[in-house]
Amino acid sequence: MKTQYIGKPVSRVDGLAKVTGTAKYSADFKVEGMLYGYIVSSSIAKGKMMSIDTSQAMALKGVLQVFTHENVSGLPWFSIKYKDMDAPTGSPFRPLHDDKIVYSGQPVALVIAETFELARYASSLIEIAYQEEDFTTDLIKNLGKSYKAPSGKIGFVQPKSRGDAEDAYEQAEFKMSGSYEHGAEHHNPMELFSTTAIWENGKLTVYDKTQGVSNCQFYIGNVFGLAYKDVRIISPYVGGAFGSGLRPQYQLFMAVLAALELKRPVKVGLTRQQMFTFGHRPVTTQNVALSASADGTLESIKHEAFSETSRFENYTEIIVNWSGTMYNCDHVKLKYDLVGLDMYTPVDMRAPGAVTGAHAMESAMDELAYELKMDPLIFRLKNYADEDQTEGKPFSSKELIACYREGAEKFGWTKRNVEPRSMREGNQLIGWGVATAAWDAFQMPSRAKALLSIDGKLEISSGTSDIGTGTYTIMTQIAAESLGLKIEDVTFKLGDTNMPIAPLEGGSWTAASVGSAVKGVCEDVKKKLTKMAVKTDGSPFYRADKHDLSFDSGYISDVNDSSSNISIVNLMRLAGVNSIEETSTSGPNPLNKMKYTFNSHAAVFAEVKVDEDLGIVRVTRVVCAVAAGKILNPKTARSQILGGVVWGISKALEEESKMDHQYGRFMNHNLSEYHVPVNKDINDIEVIFVEEKDDIVNPLGVKGVGEIGIIGVAGAIANAVFHATGVRVRNLPITMDKVLQIAEDDKNQVAVQG
């Protein structure tokens, strides 16, 4: 029996380290002589600093330095040096560069002291005089100043229109139109951003919370004029990031600045309030108009989005593009504009763009289905897209119909009464909704290294990250199965720039990208062992046909006679080889990329119960059926989808960062007032992995599950709320006041019309 780990629910190999506290995060690293930094944030949104008095802080015993724009010099003048691998177009923010204030909460000073408490106290003694300027942070009030989103960010392409959507819409018998909004959201991972920087013997070692050690190395080397080989970034564990760690955050700059200047180790971390100052999922408003013929055939799709960005960078997301590929339609008009505001640049947040666009499009599909008096699921099946119409390419694989079928069966969709407000339990109105989701199945170039020692132990390494997704575990599984070793004989290491380079950990591409490199390097080791087995005198396979050999549980055997075997350990000893080391690179097949569209898909079914008197919405059931190619580990993959669904519930009903436009600052910048679900908010969640075989997408046939779990959830819940109440809430989050207000407005409108 061949060693098999891929596809098995292997428990997390890093689980013991995490639950026992031996896993070390960026703030856990301590060295002798450590100094501590505390960052001072601006109190205005726009203007300039007229003066900054640090004398009282510097007078305190134990305070070594206060860094401001007045005493920081020798750094690059050109903004291109501050660009990182995930930077959008524009000029990146440069900390402590000058006296200008470009957003509220901007870091304006760094206090370095012998203790954290002293640094924090000293920061309160710094006096800053500001000259304020007029500013604006309101997207809706500035829609008239929008501009076309430029290309330049990874994965972003301008949306493509086709046909004549305007004319088709006007001619159609059935149509709908609506505007959809959602507020800002912040990532709020449990681990705060923290950096420990150590300058020693001309080398810089940095422990940082990041989703890309190579990106941080690139950034630090460019900003501080250091050779990349002299900068080592280490990040073995990350306590959640969800996209916030893709770009280097400003505490990294601060810690390195101080360590290089003072020639001592420096630790700088952000407070929870400061976690709200370096980017967010942007406020977005969308207009969708759909039309269909009487038999339910989509005649036109019009989808436009307006999203906020900073004044200095053009942050883009793929919001409307999905509407051109999700359903079959010959007439599609798509538009995506940005609005520059006086705030920090938004950053990627789980399923950036797709989760935003899907809420609007899937809600609109539901609305049109009601206009047609057609079941929303049947309406989607009627307009199922067999190919990517935007690019004119087939999908490498697409099992979305199976997602609809298996999800509907598990959910009991056929029992749904189509009429709104027709299902109830006492004063609880019950609603069922459905939505579709899709996400790109990326593969990025990656490298991995294998070291097989004479004791039969295999060490695999790659400079990727694990933000809780299970990367440690699935890479160990891939390596163990690829080389036919017991899983306990394999160790996977990551999060270090001394390891082979890997892409940023994001976009649901890590399993496919790094996993393919791991598989490839293990196959290279296997080839060496095979050659050794047939060329080593004394081996049972000396001069045998290499194609007759198989690897299982640390042994090499004859495929036709398992009793004829030799352990890898004994073979290496016999050959006098102490270790085998290989490095392999893997990347996407450019020809396949030209021929096919690679997507994962999902169908989400949601049940809500709404208090008829109070408008309180509870999500009582969710079924999420996912087609994502080969599932490497059902346990960790299920965990990813569960997390996505929970976040989708949170997005639909709770999460919103409230901006006070009078001050240009987020008001609820803490975990007390930024609402996220607690245990009582989450009920039954069923995850279904639909079987999907894909031999084209990458060598492993995987598509990634990090993003797909969240994308359709908010739309399904919004549709369920309408089914329950007859109230269409288009503004996320769906809070009780909105449900009651819209219901009251609808009643008044009916009364007036009557």
Side-chain angles (χ1 to χ4, degrees):
M1 178 67 179
K2 185 180 178 182
T3 306
Q4 289 188 339
Y5 292 110
I6 294 177
K8 304 297 181 185
V10 175
S11 295
R12 292 176 182 262
V13 298
D14 55 330
L16 182 63
K18 289 183 174 178
V19 299
T20 57
T22 58
K24 296 183 73 173
Y25 296 81
S26 60
D28 296 333
F29 292 92
K30 298 179 180 179
V31 295
E32 188 176 348
M34 180 79 73
L35 299 175
Y36 298 85
Y38 192 87
I39 297 171
V40 180
S41 305
S42 71
S43 60
I44 67 169
K46 188 176 182 180
K48 64 186 300 185
M49 290 177 283
M50 303 304 293
S51 65
I52 179 165
D53 185 355
T54 64
S55 58
Q56 293 185 65
M58 287 295 295
L60 295 175
K61 182 180 179 180
V63 173
L64 279 77
Q65 182 60 286
V66 178
F67 292 95
T68 72
H69 70 280
E70 294 181 340
N71 60 7
V72 171
S73 61
L75 296 179
W77 181 261
F78 295 107
S79 62
I80 192 171
K81 285 288 188 177
Y82 290 79
K83 275 189 174 290
D84 64 274
M85 296 175 181
D86 194 46
T89 61
S91 300
F93 173 70
R94 291 173 282 180
L96 307 185
H97 178 68
D98 53 29
D99 59 359
K100 294 183 176 61
I101 302 298
V102 294
Y103 72 95
S104 182
Q106 173 181 323
V108 294
L110 171 67
V111 181
I112 302 293
E114 297 286 351
T115 67
F116 169 77
E117 292 78 10
L118 178 59
R120 180 174 59 184
Y121 172 66
S123 72
S124 69
L125 303 179
I126 296 174
E127 297 180 354
I128 305 176
Y130 296 101
Q131 180 179 324
E132 291 191 66
E133 298 177 12
D134 292 339
F135 65 89
T136 181
T137 54
D138 193 326
L139 172 71
I140 304 303
K141 288 185 177 180
N142 289 276
L143 291 178
K145 300 177 182 179
S146 69
Y147 57 92
K148 184 179 180 181
S151 57
K153 184 174 170 61
I154 295 174
F156 176 74
V157 293
Q158 277 292 336
K160 297 179 182 179
S161 300
R162 59 179 179 266
D164 189 343
E166 295 289 357
D167 183 67
Y169 182 82
E170 292 301 322
Q171 301 299 323
E173 185 176 355
F174 293 88
K175 60 188 71 174
M176 65 73 55
S177 63
S179 296
Y180 304 83
E181 297 177 13
H182 79 70
E185 299 171 10
H186 280 84
H187 307 71
N188 278 307
M190 290 188 68
E191 182 197 10
L192 303 173
F193 275 91
S194 177
T195 302
T196 302
I198 305 165
W199 177 250
E200 189 175 28
N201 299 323
K203 304 283 186 180
L204 181 68
T205 301
V206 178
Y207 298 93
D208 188 57
K209 175 191 171 86
T210 177
Q211 292 174 251
V213 290
S214 295
N215 194 22
C216 292
Q217 180 190 49
F218 174 81
Y219 174 81
I220 290 301
N222 288 343
V223 170
F224 293 97
L226 302 173
Y228 299 146
K229 64 181 178 61
D230 293 333
V231 179
R232 183 183 182 187
I233 311 293
I234 303 172
S235 182
Y237 295 98
V238 179
F242 319 116
S244 62
L246 289 172
R247 301 189 67 182
Q249 302 304 348
Y250 60 78
Q251 92 290 333
L252 172 63
F253 171 93
M254 298 291 194
V256 172
L257 171 73
L260 294 177
E261 177 75 19
L262 301 175
K263 303 297 189 290
R264 286 181 61 180
V266 176
K267 186 189 300 292
V268 179
L270 300 185
T271 66
R272 179 58 66 179
Q273 290 193 354
Q274 287 170 338
M275 294 285 284
F276 284 76
T277 65
F278 59 73
H280 57 280
R281 194 193 299 277
V283 175
T284 303
T285 183
Q286 303 173 74
N287 301 315
V288 182
L290 308 178
S291 67
S293 59
D295 68 350
T297 301
L298 272 174
E299 297 288 349
S300 66
I301 296 172
K302 294 191 291 182
H303 187 178
E304 63 177 7
F306 300 88
S307 195
E308 64 188 15
T309 187
S310 66
R311 298 285 191 189
F312 46 90
E313 287 181 307
N314 299 303
Y315 173 77
T316 56
E317 296 182 333
I318 299 179
I319 297 178
V320 302
N321 304 48
W322 304 100
S323 296
T325 62
M326 190 70 75
Y327 300 104
N328 193 65
C329 184
D330 294 332
H331 302 284
V332 177
K333 182 180 181 181
L334 305 175
K335 178 183 177 182
Y336 174 44
D337 277 10
L338 298 179
V339 175
L341 300 173
D342 298 303
M343 58 173 54
Y344 193 79
T345 308
V347 298
D348 293 326
M349 191 170 182
R350 197 172 195 170
V355 69
T356 304
H359 161 247
M361 182 63 184
E362 291 303 302
S363 296
M365 286 290 288
D366 195 71
E367 292 192 43
L368 186 54
Y370 277 99
E371 289 289 330
L372 291 160
K373 294 183 169 49
M374 195 172 189
D375 181 281
L377 179 57
I378 295 175
F379 182 44
R380 285 168 171 79
L381 288 167
K382 170 76 175 177
N383 295 285
Y384 186 83
D386 289 309
E387 68 170 23
D388 177 357
Q389 279 187 286
T390 300
E391 300 296 332
K393 297 189 294 189
F395 296 98
S396 62
S397 61
K398 185 178 183 181
E399 294 294 341
L400 179 56
I401 288 179
C403 292
Y404 287 139
R405 182 180 64 251
E406 294 183 32
E409 182 178 353
K410 175 65 71 172
F411 190 80
W413 185 261
T414 57
K415 300 176 183 177
R416 177 181 184 270
N417 189 323
V418 69
E419 290 299 321
R421 300 182 69 91
S422 61
M423 299 165 61
R424 66 166 60 230
E425 290 177 358
N427 76 325
Q428 298 291 309
L429 301 172
I430 301 173
W432 290 2
V434 63
T436 311
W439 182 253
D440 284 307
F442 294 107
Q443 183 186 0
M444 307 292 282
S446 299
R447 302 190 77 192
K449 178 181 176 181
L451 177 61
L452 179 65
S453 59
I454 198 168
D455 60 359
K457 305 295 184 182
L458 177 67
E459 179 182 290
I460 304 289
S461 59
S462 181
T464 185
S465 300
D466 188 338
I467 60 173
T469 54
T471 303
Y472 274 111
T473 306
I474 62 172
M475 298 305 162
T476 303
Q477 291 176 256
I478 293 168
E481 180 164 324
S482 297
L483 198 47
L485 295 176
K486 295 180 180 178
I487 201 164
E488 56 266 28
D489 290 333
V490 178
T491 301
F492 181 71
K493 294 185 176 181
L494 54 71
D496 191 330
T497 50
N498 280 358
M499 299 172 185
I501 191 169
L504 294 167
E505 197 278 346
S508 292
W509 61 51
T510 300
S513 306
V514 180
S516 294
V518 169
K519 177 180 172 64
V521 77
C522 288
E523 289 175 346
D524 290 343
V525 173
K526 184 187 286 187
K527 289 176 184 177
K528 277 197 170 183
L529 288 169
T530 300
K531 185 177 181 179
M532 192 182 300
V534 300
K535 289 186 176 294
T536 302
D537 193 4
S539 163
F541 308 112
Y542 182 56
R543 294 181 176 175
D545 187 339
K546 64 181 181 181
H547 299 102
D548 290 338
L549 303 187
S550 66
F551 289 70
D552 182 24
S553 302
Y555 282 81
I556 304 174
S557 305
D558 189 320
V559 293
N560 301 311
D561 180 10
S562 60
S563 63
S564 177
N565 61 64
I566 186 172
S567 69
I568 291 175
V569 171
N570 288 336
L571 176 62
M572 292 176 69
R573 288 174 179 170
L574 188 65
V577 175
N578 291 323
S579 64
I580 298 175
E581 185 174 320
E582 288 288 329
T583 301
S584 179
T585 301
S586 180
N589 184 324
L591 294 179
N592 285 344
K593 198 171 182 181
M594 292 172 61
K595 294 178 181 178
Y596 300 95
T597 291
F598 304 110
N599 284 167
S600 56
H601 297 90
V604 184
F605 298 82
E607 176 185 83
V608 301
K609 293 184 179 179
V610 184
D611 187 295
E612 189 173 19
D613 301 315
L614 301 178
I616 298 172
V617 180
R618 290 187 303 122
V619 178
T620 48
R621 284 193 302 137
V622 174
V623 173
C624 185
V626 179
K630 180 183 285 293
I631 302 301
L632 297 171
N633 185 322
K635 181 182 288 189
T636 57
R638 178 177 180 272
S639 178
Q640 284 293 286
I641 300 300
L642 286 175
V645 171
V646 170
W647 201 340
I649 295 171
S650 183
K651 178 181 179 64
L653 303 182
E654 301 185 41
E655 284 195 56
E656 184 177 17
S657 302
K658 297 293 291 185
M659 173 71 79
D660 186 333
H661 297 299
Q662 181 179 353
Y663 299 102
R665 174 170 296 199
F666 291 107
M667 296 182 291
N668 55 332
H669 47 188
N670 53 64
L671 293 184
S672 171
E673 296 170 305
Y674 184 89
H675 296 161
V676 295
V678 296
N679 286 350
K680 193 171 176 59
D681 296 319
I682 305 301
N683 295 288
D684 293 338
I685 301 175
E686 183 78 24
V687 178
I688 300 170
F689 289 114
V690 170
E691 185 174 347
E692 183 174 58
K693 182 176 175 58
D694 195 324
D695 295 325
I696 302 171
V697 64
N698 54 64
L700 289 166
V702 303
K703 294 185 174 181
V705 293
E707 264 84 8
I708 192 66
I710 186 178
I711 294 172
V713 179
I717 291 172
N719 295 338
V721 169
F722 175 78
H723 182 233
T725 64
V727 174
R728 183 68 69 177
V729 183
R730 294 174 175 152
N731 187 344
L732 296 184
I734 302 171
T735 51
M736 56 188 295
D737 57 309
K738 294 175 185 175
V739 174
L740 293 176
Q741 183 61 54
I742 294 173
E744 184 64 26
D745 291 345
D746 288 348
K747 287 180 182 178
N748 293 337
Q749 185 175 2
V750 170
V752 170
Q753 291 175 346

